[in-house]
Amino acid sequence: MKILLLLFTIIIPVIMLYLDRRIDKAHNFFNLFAVISFLIFSIIASTSIYQIIADGDVFMTTIHGLFLNEVFLLTGAYVGVFTIYRLLKLTLEES
């Protein structure tokens, strides 16, 4: 499973870069989806932290329950993959 995660972290940004070069408006979709993903990711994180503070929980394991939220994980994964894609794109444009 760890190997698959590593491979997908490399392969998906390369596919995104390929689609960006082949389809004119692909970068618009990638950017929009990244903004939406980042907003959802941030809202889930902030509301979870607020709830912990409001409840007065002091256990570190309480915040780790956030990692059980599938939407949080999916949006965070896309933000990570998108960041690698943008870095690849920037590197290729500068060279």
Side-chain angles (χ1 to χ4, degrees):
M1 186 64 177
K2 292 178 186 178
I3 293 174
L4 282 177
L5 288 173
L6 179 65
L7 287 175
F8 285 138
T9 303
I10 296 167
I11 293 170
I12 292 175
V14 172
I15 291 171
M16 290 171 72
L17 192 61
Y18 173 78
L19 292 174
D20 182 30
R21 303 254 187 228
R22 294 286 181 201
I23 301 171
D24 289 336
K25 300 294 181 181
H27 65 277
N28 289 340
F29 172 76
F30 296 148
N31 292 342
L32 178 65
F33 197 62
V35 169
I36 292 169
S37 292
F38 190 74
L39 284 171
I40 293 171
F41 181 83
S42 300
I43 289 168
I44 292 172
S46 63
T47 55
S48 296
I49 292 169
Y50 173 78
Q51 192 62 45
I52 289 169
I53 293 170
D55 293 344
D57 291 337
V58 292
F59 301 110
M60 290 302 291
T61 54
T62 307
I63 191 62
H64 290 101
L66 179 63
F67 295 122
L68 298 175
N69 186 329
E70 294 170 357
V71 176
F72 178 80
L73 293 175
L74 286 173
T75 55
Y78 182 75
V79 169
V81 167
F82 177 78
T83 302
I84 294 169
Y85 150 73
R86 293 297 296 182
L87 288 172
L88 282 172
K89 185 175 179 176
L90 180 66
T91 302
L92 291 175
E93 288 174 357
E94 288 182 349
S95 55

